[in-house]
Amino acid sequence: MKRVMLTVAYDGTSYHGWQIQPNGETVEGVLNRCLSALLGEKIEVTGASRTDAGVHAMGNVAVFDTESPIPADKISYALNRSLPEDIRIQKSQEVDRDFHPRHCPSHKTYEYRIYCAPFPMPIKRFYSYFTYVPLDVCLMSQGAQYLTGTHDFKSFCSVQTQAETTVRQIDSIEILESRTGGDIVIRVTGRGFLYNMVRIIAGTLMEVGRGHIPPEEVETILAAKDRQAAGPTAPACGLTLIKIEYIIE
Amino acid sequence: MKRVMLTVAYDGTSYHGWQIQPNGETVEGVLNRCLSALLGEKIEVTGASRTDAGVHAMGNVAVFDTESPIPADKISYALNRSLPEDIRIQKSQEVDRDFHPRHCPSHKTYEYRIYCAPFPMPIKRFYSYFTYVPLDVCLMSQGAQYLTGTHDFKSFCSVQTQAETTVRQIDSIEILESRTGGDIVIRVTGRGFLYNMVRIIAGTLMEVGRGHIPPEEVETILAAKDRQAAGPTAPACGLTLIKIEYIIE
């Protein structure tokens, strides 16, 4: 028996999110099915980040145990041959038997991508949120600075959360703008996130960028510990889980 | 009667190219149908660049004549409401009655996008060509320098061409690499291109990047004036027509 870690990339457009559901195809469901067929045993993966419907990933992480003699680092090649082309394993490797993708400490990096222009750009439509309302990137950066560090992010968490605590640590938030203009990326790194947290941060910072919320009010929103105080949850298609880096302690 | 110029963006994935065909949906066909319905008269657009099946555009140009009282700059808004979401007009404006999108001199900029990594990245699959064979960007840049300027590009033209002359002028070729690695962009600007020319340039520079063709051999390939001398035609999905700038003389 060995434990195998997969680095999983996917286009979330056609999936009902990561987590297995009674109705609708999910990334976890496809992985379980293809791995079970490949290895000839019932496989159930455990994911690091249970991304929502429509959210993309370049580096989500999943773990499973297997008796298979196939070397862990070769599983990526074999599995990619049976996966649909909107899911691709980037790496497979053996990990310690006690490694857990959600309980082991990590830094996760997400990017929320916005395309801001008079009209939508077709080749960006699946991977960016389009808005024709101008955004002031300087204001967005000013607002973002209040979110770095350790805070109670209750205002930035959907009410459906089952989390025991809503305190989280954000290492950095950068607002990046393309030289040619139009593309704005909110890049957030932190030690774990609450349900919908990055999308609510993105929705709130867009309200700041539009001039509807003064940047310093982000501090007030945090202090309110009330979901109603923050901006809307930004649409799923703009969000991509970039990478998860586990902290060796 | 007025002449209207449209700046047209599209995701070419689902189209049989720009130009109307007896079988299969084309960008030109969709524009003619939607414009005719919108303006209540038979409209036939003339395109600047008749891109191949699967090629994308951020700024192709089309022109048509109309009797419509709708102001030219408002046609973009009205037309986008009836177009499918993989085609979007970026701008509409009135132009001189003698303006012709192919005959008037212009600088066209294309980007050929390559994703070079051990495994494909799902969110890039429609807009990049994937290769797992490593590419040396320095060699590609060295090879590219032989192509700038005015040359007979017969070696870089598909044999089906109907062009009278195969002499063309390339203003610049840049090979751009993303900081994080993996993404390589060949950005070419020139005064018009032969059939498949950018894709053959991309296919040849990839052979240079793989070490199969020494960079200085690009000069020999040009001199051969023989399609067989150059590398393969790179796949359509990696190519995007970025913009067309008309030269006011």
mmCIF file of all heavy atoms in Angstrom, chain B residues 16 30 52 64 86 101 103 105 118-119 130 152 158 168-169 189 199 206 219 240:
data_model
loop_
_atom_site.group_PDB
_atom_site.id
_atom_site.type_symbol
_atom_site.label_atom_id
_atom_site.label_comp_id
_atom_site.label_asym_id
_atom_site.label_seq_id
_atom_site.Cartn_x
_atom_site.Cartn_y
_atom_site.Cartn_z
ATOM 1 N N HIS B 16 -15.405 27.199 -39.444
ATOM 2 C CA HIS B 16 -14.620 26.752 -40.593
ATOM 3 C C HIS B 16 -13.910 27.958 -41.200
ATOM 4 O O HIS B 16 -13.951 28.168 -42.419
ATOM 5 C CB HIS B 16 -15.532 26.084 -41.631
ATOM 6 C CG HIS B 16 -16.031 24.737 -41.205
ATOM 7 N ND1 HIS B 16 -16.934 24.569 -40.174
ATOM 8 C CD2 HIS B 16 -15.732 23.482 -41.628
ATOM 9 C CE1 HIS B 16 -17.176 23.268 -40.007
ATOM 10 N NE2 HIS B 16 -16.464 22.605 -40.866
ATOM 11 N N VAL B 30 -21.821 34.288 -40.481
ATOM 12 C CA VAL B 30 -22.594 34.731 -39.318
ATOM 13 C C VAL B 30 -22.768 36.248 -39.352
ATOM 14 O O VAL B 30 -23.864 36.770 -39.098
ATOM 15 C CB VAL B 30 -21.909 34.293 -37.999
ATOM 16 C CG1 VAL B 30 -22.602 34.911 -36.791
ATOM 17 C CG2 VAL B 30 -21.905 32.771 -37.880
ATOM 18 N N ASP B 52 -7.892 31.065 -41.322
ATOM 19 C CA ASP B 52 -8.228 29.640 -41.493
ATOM 20 C C ASP B 52 -9.124 29.119 -40.381
ATOM 21 O O ASP B 52 -9.235 29.737 -39.324
ATOM 22 C CB ASP B 52 -6.930 28.814 -41.420
ATOM 23 C CG ASP B 52 -6.163 28.831 -42.718
ATOM 24 O OD1 ASP B 52 -6.780 29.100 -43.763
ATOM 25 O OD2 ASP B 52 -4.951 28.585 -42.662
ATOM 26 N N PHE B 64 -18.576 47.042 -44.773
ATOM 27 C CA PHE B 64 -19.786 46.851 -45.586
ATOM 28 C C PHE B 64 -20.431 48.203 -45.847
ATOM 29 O O PHE B 64 -20.163 49.183 -45.144
ATOM 30 C CB PHE B 64 -20.788 45.910 -44.893
ATOM 31 C CG PHE B 64 -21.305 46.442 -43.582
ATOM 32 C CD1 PHE B 64 -22.496 47.168 -43.527
ATOM 33 C CD2 PHE B 64 -20.609 46.235 -42.402
ATOM 34 C CE1 PHE B 64 -22.972 47.670 -42.330
ATOM 35 C CE2 PHE B 64 -21.079 46.738 -41.193
ATOM 36 C CZ PHE B 64 -22.258 47.456 -41.163
ATOM 37 N N ASP B 86 -19.203 33.711 -29.225
ATOM 38 C CA ASP B 86 -17.823 33.544 -29.680
ATOM 39 C C ASP B 86 -17.438 34.537 -30.791
ATOM 40 O O ASP B 86 -16.343 34.446 -31.347
ATOM 41 C CB ASP B 86 -17.504 32.086 -30.078
ATOM 42 C CG ASP B 86 -18.482 31.501 -31.079
ATOM 43 O OD1 ASP B 86 -19.350 32.245 -31.573
ATOM 44 O OD2 ASP B 86 -18.362 30.296 -31.377
ATOM 45 N N PRO B 101 -10.454 47.048 -46.935
ATOM 46 C CA PRO B 101 -9.676 46.458 -45.836
ATOM 47 C C PRO B 101 -8.475 45.626 -46.282
ATOM 48 O O PRO B 101 -7.543 45.442 -45.500
ATOM 49 C CB PRO B 101 -10.703 45.571 -45.101
ATOM 50 C CG PRO B 101 -11.804 45.345 -46.074
ATOM 51 C CD PRO B 101 -11.845 46.547 -46.970
ATOM 52 N N HIS B 103 -6.924 46.148 -49.645
ATOM 53 C CA HIS B 103 -6.081 46.913 -50.562
ATOM 54 C C HIS B 103 -5.393 48.097 -49.887
ATOM 55 O O HIS B 103 -4.303 48.496 -50.301
ATOM 56 C CB HIS B 103 -6.908 47.390 -51.769
ATOM 57 C CG HIS B 103 -7.539 46.243 -52.512
ATOM 58 N ND1 HIS B 103 -8.638 46.383 -53.323
ATOM 59 C CD2 HIS B 103 -7.223 44.924 -52.540
ATOM 60 C CE1 HIS B 103 -8.976 45.201 -53.818
ATOM 61 N NE2 HIS B 103 -8.137 44.308 -53.356
ATOM 62 N N PRO B 105 -3.052 49.943 -47.364
ATOM 63 C CA PRO B 105 -1.874 49.408 -46.673
ATOM 64 C C PRO B 105 -2.070 49.359 -45.152
ATOM 65 O O PRO B 105 -2.688 50.245 -44.568
ATOM 66 C CB PRO B 105 -0.759 50.381 -47.062
ATOM 67 C CG PRO B 105 -1.444 51.628 -47.473
ATOM 68 C CD PRO B 105 -2.781 51.227 -48.028
ATOM 69 N N PRO B 118 5.592 19.426 -19.530
ATOM 70 C CA PRO B 118 5.474 17.963 -19.605
ATOM 71 C C PRO B 118 4.061 17.493 -19.973
ATOM 72 O O PRO B 118 3.900 16.511 -20.696
ATOM 73 C CB PRO B 118 5.858 17.513 -18.193
ATOM 74 C CG PRO B 118 6.745 18.596 -17.676
ATOM 75 C CD PRO B 118 6.185 19.863 -18.252
ATOM 76 N N PHE B 119 3.035 18.197 -19.478
ATOM 77 C CA PHE B 119 1.650 17.799 -19.755
ATOM 78 C C PHE B 119 0.824 19.008 -20.190
ATOM 79 O O PHE B 119 1.107 20.130 -19.768
ATOM 80 C CB PHE B 119 1.010 17.181 -18.505
ATOM 81 C CG PHE B 119 1.672 15.913 -18.054
ATOM 82 C CD1 PHE B 119 2.459 15.894 -16.909
ATOM 83 C CD2 PHE B 119 1.523 14.738 -18.780
ATOM 84 C CE1 PHE B 119 3.082 14.728 -16.499
ATOM 85 C CE2 PHE B 119 2.142 13.564 -18.370
ATOM 86 C CZ PHE B 119 2.925 13.562 -17.223
ATOM 87 N N PHE B 130 0.155 22.916 -27.794
ATOM 88 C CA PHE B 130 0.902 22.236 -26.734
ATOM 89 C C PHE B 130 2.008 21.370 -27.308
ATOM 90 O O PHE B 130 1.791 20.620 -28.263
ATOM 91 C CB PHE B 130 -0.034 21.345 -25.903
ATOM 92 C CG PHE B 130 0.729 20.406 -25.010
ATOM 93 C CD1 PHE B 130 1.363 20.882 -23.869
ATOM 94 C CD2 PHE B 130 0.863 19.063 -25.326
ATOM 95 C CE1 PHE B 130 2.101 20.038 -23.061
ATOM 96 C CE2 PHE B 130 1.601 18.204 -24.516
ATOM 97 C CZ PHE B 130 2.214 18.694 -23.378
ATOM 98 N N ASP B 152 11.506 37.307 -50.316
ATOM 99 C CA ASP B 152 10.598 36.408 -51.009
ATOM 100 C C ASP B 152 10.312 35.256 -50.047
ATOM 101 O O ASP B 152 11.197 34.466 -49.724
ATOM 102 C CB ASP B 152 11.242 35.895 -52.308
ATOM 103 C CG ASP B 152 10.253 35.072 -53.125
ATOM 104 O OD1 ASP B 152 9.282 34.538 -52.542
ATOM 105 O OD2 ASP B 152 10.464 34.956 -54.346
ATOM 106 N N SER B 158 1.982 28.190 -48.281
ATOM 107 C CA SER B 158 1.380 26.939 -48.742
ATOM 108 C C SER B 158 1.270 26.955 -50.258
ATOM 109 O O SER B 158 1.020 28.006 -50.861
ATOM 110 C CB SER B 158 0.005 26.739 -48.111
ATOM 111 O OG SER B 158 0.158 26.269 -46.798
ATOM 112 N N ARG B 168 7.163 39.685 -49.355
ATOM 113 C CA ARG B 168 6.434 40.352 -48.273
ATOM 114 C C ARG B 168 7.434 41.043 -47.345
ATOM 115 O O ARG B 168 8.624 40.706 -47.338
ATOM 116 C CB ARG B 168 5.619 39.334 -47.446
ATOM 117 C CG ARG B 168 4.422 38.738 -48.185
ATOM 118 C CD ARG B 168 3.330 39.772 -48.449
ATOM 119 N NE ARG B 168 2.148 39.202 -49.070
ATOM 120 C CZ ARG B 168 1.990 38.981 -50.378
ATOM 121 N NH1 ARG B 168 2.973 39.259 -51.220
ATOM 122 N NH2 ARG B 168 0.853 38.484 -50.843
ATOM 123 N N GLN B 169 6.906 41.981 -46.537
ATOM 124 C CA GLN B 169 7.752 42.722 -45.603
ATOM 125 C C GLN B 169 7.344 42.400 -44.169
ATOM 126 O O GLN B 169 6.191 42.617 -43.787
ATOM 127 C CB GLN B 169 7.608 44.227 -45.861
ATOM 128 C CG GLN B 169 8.394 45.091 -44.877
ATOM 129 C CD GLN B 169 8.050 46.574 -45.014
ATOM 130 O OE1 GLN B 169 7.872 47.079 -46.127
ATOM 131 N NE2 GLN B 169 7.939 47.260 -43.887
ATOM 132 N N THR B 189 4.788 41.148 -36.771
ATOM 133 C CA THR B 189 4.096 42.279 -37.394
ATOM 134 C C THR B 189 4.622 42.443 -38.815
ATOM 135 O O THR B 189 5.838 42.387 -39.036
ATOM 136 C CB THR B 189 4.326 43.570 -36.593
ATOM 137 O OG1 THR B 189 3.793 43.393 -35.280
ATOM 138 C CG2 THR B 189 3.620 44.758 -37.231
ATOM 139 N N ARG B 199 1.882 30.499 -39.669
ATOM 140 C CA ARG B 199 1.926 29.136 -39.117
ATOM 141 C C ARG B 199 3.153 28.362 -39.595
ATOM 142 O O ARG B 199 3.692 27.535 -38.865
ATOM 143 C CB ARG B 199 0.638 28.392 -39.459
ATOM 144 C CG ARG B 199 -0.550 28.910 -38.641
ATOM 145 C CD ARG B 199 -1.883 28.427 -39.176
ATOM 146 N NE ARG B 199 -1.962 26.975 -39.170
ATOM 147 C CZ ARG B 199 -2.959 26.295 -39.732
ATOM 148 N NH1 ARG B 199 -3.945 26.940 -40.344
ATOM 149 N NH2 ARG B 199 -2.970 24.988 -39.674
ATOM 150 N N MET B 206 9.860 26.538 -34.305
ATOM 151 C CA MET B 206 9.823 25.467 -33.302
ATOM 152 C C MET B 206 10.868 24.404 -33.615
ATOM 153 O O MET B 206 11.504 23.867 -32.711
ATOM 154 C CB MET B 206 8.419 24.863 -33.207
ATOM 155 C CG MET B 206 7.473 25.747 -32.394
ATOM 156 S SD MET B 206 5.968 24.873 -31.895
ATOM 157 C CE MET B 206 4.919 25.204 -33.303
ATOM 158 N N GLU B 219 18.076 31.395 -43.038
ATOM 159 C CA GLU B 219 18.470 32.187 -44.216
ATOM 160 C C GLU B 219 18.499 31.295 -45.471
ATOM 161 O O GLU B 219 18.023 31.696 -46.539
ATOM 162 C CB GLU B 219 19.855 32.806 -43.975
ATOM 163 C CG GLU B 219 20.180 33.943 -44.905
ATOM 164 C CD GLU B 219 21.463 34.675 -44.517
ATOM 165 O OE1 GLU B 219 22.255 34.142 -43.705
ATOM 166 O OE2 GLU B 219 21.666 35.797 -45.019
ATOM 167 N N THR B 240 -3.493 33.719 -33.284
ATOM 168 C CA THR B 240 -4.491 34.775 -33.067
ATOM 169 C C THR B 240 -4.074 36.028 -33.838
ATOM 170 O O THR B 240 -2.931 36.480 -33.722
ATOM 171 C CB THR B 240 -4.618 35.113 -31.563
ATOM 172 O OG1 THR B 240 -4.982 33.929 -30.838
ATOM 173 C CG2 THR B 240 -5.687 36.169 -31.321
#
